[in-house]
């Protein structure tokens, strides 16, 4: 959250400056938004998998899955119930599974999904750290440029 506040402050300051500087901060902001949405998607994937594992032995429970899609400002996420191929004996008249039908959760598959969510989280966290380092370097360059300008050195 602190990085977000600092980034917003820098954005406000740089938006008043020359156009070339705006491009640099826009790039940093875009990477930041993509990394944050990726972290949120990974967290939701982990939460849904944990919920599936917790309900694996609950009769009538339908597995949930998270689907992700690239959006304008990052990752768009949607949680959906997964309907498995049921035998006619396990389906009620409305097409819904019977409450006493066994769960369609495969615990081994969920553990694999949890590991994938962990990898997704770590990758987006590294992206966020790299973005933070890049922002720091941009600020250092700008500080040196302003210092040299104030000293009359071009």
């Amino acid at each position: 959250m602190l990085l977000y506040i600092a980034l917003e402050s820098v954005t406000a300051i740089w938006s008043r400056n020359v156009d070339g500087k705006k491009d640099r901060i826009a790039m940093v902001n875009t990477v930041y938004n993509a990394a944050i949405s990726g972290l949120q998607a990974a967290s939701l994937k982990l939460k849904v998998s944990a919920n599936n594992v917790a309900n694996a032995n609950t009769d009538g429970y339908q597995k949930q899955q998270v689907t992700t899609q690239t959006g304008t400002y990052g990752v768009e996420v949607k949680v959906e119930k997964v309907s498995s191929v049921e035998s006619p004996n396990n389906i009620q008249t409305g097409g819904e599974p019977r409450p006493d039908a066994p769960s369609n959760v495969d615990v081994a598959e969920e553990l694999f999904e949890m590991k994938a969510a962990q990898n997704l989280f770590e990758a987006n966290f590294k992206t966020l750290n790299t973005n933070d380092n890049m922002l720091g370097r941009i600020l250092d360059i700008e500080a040196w440029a302003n210092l040299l300008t104030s000293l009359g050195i071009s």
Side-chain angles (χ1 to χ4, degrees):
M1 188 62 167
L2 184 60
L3 176 64
Y4 179 76
I5 293 168
L7 189 59
E8 288 301 314
S9 301
V10 170
T11 304
I13 292 167
W14 278 14
S15 65
R16 293 187 296 253
N17 289 335
V18 187
D19 285 338
K21 293 179 184 178
K22 284 184 190 178
D23 293 341
R24 284 183 240 152
I25 195 64
M27 177 185 64
V28 170
N29 226 352
T30 302
V31 172
Y32 176 79
N33 288 337
I36 290 296
S37 69
L39 288 171
Q40 291 169 337
S43 294
L44 184 60
K45 282 179 174 258
L46 189 58
K47 182 179 176 182
V48 167
S49 287
N51 186 51
N52 286 341
V53 170
N55 288 294
N57 293 326
T58 303
D59 289 339
Y61 178 78
Q62 282 187 289
K63 172 184 171 177
Q64 295 177 330
Q65 74 178 14
V66 175
T67 56
T68 57
Q69 182 177 356
T70 304
T72 306
Y73 299 105
V75 179
E76 295 175 6
V77 182
K78 189 165 77 170
V79 178
E80 303 170 330
K81 284 188 176 182
V82 175
S83 58
S84 60
V85 179
E86 298 284 342
S87 68
N89 296 336
N90 288 342
I91 297 188
Q92 297 181 33
T93 6
E96 292 291 318
R98 292 187 3 215
D100 60 343
S103 164
N104 63 346
V105 175
D106 179 3
V107 176
E109 181 182 332
E110 292 304 319
L111 293 176
F112 177 77
E113 290 295 326
M114 287 178 166
K115 182 61 179 168
Q118 177 187 0
N119 292 341
L120 178 63
F121 190 91
E122 289 173 358
N124 280 285
F125 188 72
K126 285 180 183 178
T127 301
L128 194 58
N129 281 337
T130 301
N131 187 57
D132 186 35
N133 291 335
M134 185 170 56
L135 178 60
R137 289 181 183 188
I138 290 172
L139 291 174
D140 289 343
I141 291 168
E142 290 300 319
W144 276 107
N146 289 337
L147 176 65
L148 293 174
T149 302
S150 69
L151 294 174
I153 303 170
S154 296

